[in-house]
Amino acid sequence: MYADLHAHTTASDGSATPTELVRQAAALGLSLLAVTDHDTTGGVAEAMRAAREAGVRLLPGVELSAEGPPGKCHLLGLGIDPGHAGLNAKLEQLSAARRARAARIVERFQALGVDLTLEDVDAATPDGANVGRPHLAKALLQKGAVATMQEAFDRYLADGGPAYVPKMVLPPAEAIALIHDAGGLAFLAHPGLLKLDAGETPRDRLLALRNLGLDGVEAYYSQHTLPQTDRYLDLARDLGLLVTGGSDFHGANKPGVPLGVVTNGHGVPLDALPAILRDWSAGG
Ligand code: AMP
Ligand code: ZN
Ligand code: FE
Ligand code: FE
């Protein structure tokens, strides 16, 4: 019995539709799946319908980028109510900011002499998706301006790159409160990828986030080593934090990260997760 509580769909920058994602999870025999798109719950309703058909349990989720004290991080909201008005009002602001940002990135490309238009970006972005840098990378690929999506990041779109424009983000305290307001639990995503300040330890960061209401940490993660996983499992135990785990599956948009696989090729055993996640129920 395995779970994957971190996966993206075409509602943000994944390549699989919510239905395709759920069917893949079912084919792998996963019993619990969370859809955690960037700044949107737009894929959850379709995933719920597909999950009922496929016999997979589905946790509605969201992944929020946060910046501000105590630092930059990604937060996963698990078990949120996807119809929560306050959450969706804020997510709509973040989506609108993403569209404005895509237009600014296109202007950067034009200034750099790269022939890219907003129409090209739209053509590379699934209908209704929250536009992100992977869609810009795909648009560049389709225009033949780069040979691979990775080249688009390396030459232009990576943090600090010539076409990089930051996106609207929430302070961690606000992101955690928003997740709680929507009935969910807030987890620090992929702690092994954190950029810590000089002298700051992972424990320091987790304590600071716990003071803001953080509920848990994503100890099991596709890019964590076994020692990293053990370290975050120990820290979670010491600090009284819950544990979650997921792949961060993006399909073809993130090659080499298969669904259902975390630390060193293992899955997340259902019984490694806290009962509150295992037994989460949407009320029928
Ligand atoms: P955005 O939320 O629009 O800023 O896009 C962030 C996404 O872009 C991440 O989830 C990654 O999938 C991808 N990404 C960011 N930086 C890189 C990079 N240097 N190389 C490849 N993909 C990246
Ligand atoms: Zn992503
Ligand atoms: Fe993330
Ligand atoms: Fe993610």
Side-chain angles (χ1 to χ4, degrees):
M1 302 279 271
Y2 289 95
D4 190 334
L5 300 188
H6 188 160
H8 297 267
T9 76
T10 46
S12 67
D13 57 3
S15 68
T17 65
T19 300
E20 288 165 350
L21 173 70
V22 167
R23 287 186 182 155
Q24 281 192 51
L28 289 169
L30 297 181
S31 45
L32 182 65
L33 173 73
V35 169
T36 56
D37 277 306
H38 298 284
D39 300 339
T40 181
T41 57
V44 170
E46 181 187 321
M48 295 270 236
R49 285 192 295 275
R52 271 191 292 270
E53 273 174 35
V56 174
R57 288 161 51 79
L58 199 282
L59 261 170
V62 68
E63 182 172 21
L64 299 173
S65 303
E67 200 171 335
K72 235 176 151 162
C73 63
H74 287 184
L75 292 161
L76 291 169
L78 296 177
I80 50 163
D81 167 7
H84 186 268
L87 174 66
N88 285 317
K90 183 57 78 173
L91 296 180
E92 190 39 58
Q93 273 182 38
L94 294 168
S95 299
R98 280 178 170 275
R99 291 191 291 274
R101 172 211 198 200
R104 289 184 58 206
I105 294 178
V106 166
E107 286 170 13
R108 289 281 178 100
F109 277 112
Q110 289 169 357
L112 288 163
V114 179
D115 172 33
L116 184 77
T117 66
L118 208 47
E119 289 68 44
D120 299 327
V121 178
D122 286 342
T125 309
D127 279 347
N130 245 357
V131 62
R133 283 181 283 167
H135 303 116
L136 283 136
K138 184 165 263 178
L140 286 173
L141 182 65
Q142 288 173 350
K143 291 287 271 196
V146 292
T148 62
M149 284 176 61
Q150 190 57 51
E151 185 190 338
F153 276 96
D154 293 343
R155 282 177 64 188
Y156 300 111
L157 290 165
D159 290 20
Y164 176 69
V165 174
K167 66 180 178 238
M168 176 186 166
V169 291
L170 303 175
E174 195 182 326
I176 291 168
L178 194 62
I179 289 165
H180 287 166
D181 284 349
L185 295 167
F187 291 83
L188 175 64
H190 40 68
L193 306 184
L194 273 182
K195 292 190 180 67
L196 296 166
D197 293 331
E200 187 189 22
T201 66
R203 185 192 178 85
D204 296 335
R205 179 64 69 92
L206 281 172
L207 269 173
L209 289 168
R210 195 185 69 176
N211 287 337
L212 301 177
L214 187 79
D215 299 293
V217 60
E218 188 178 42
Y220 300 96
Y221 185 67
S222 50
Q223 292 167 67
H224 282 174
T225 62
L226 276 173
Q228 274 178 316
T229 299
D230 285 340
R231 177 180 198 184
Y232 287 105
L233 289 173
D234 287 346
L235 274 171
R237 197 179 311 110
D238 284 357
L239 300 177
L241 291 166
L242 301 174
V243 161
T244 185
S247 62
D248 208 357
F249 179 70
H250 285 69
N253 290 347
K254 194 170 178 181
V257 179
L259 186 65
V261 178
V262 293
T263 317
N264 287 10
H266 299 276
V268 182
L270 210 53
D271 60 14
L273 296 172
I276 194 167
L277 292 180
R278 269 189 340 247
D279 302 337
W280 189 89
S281 148

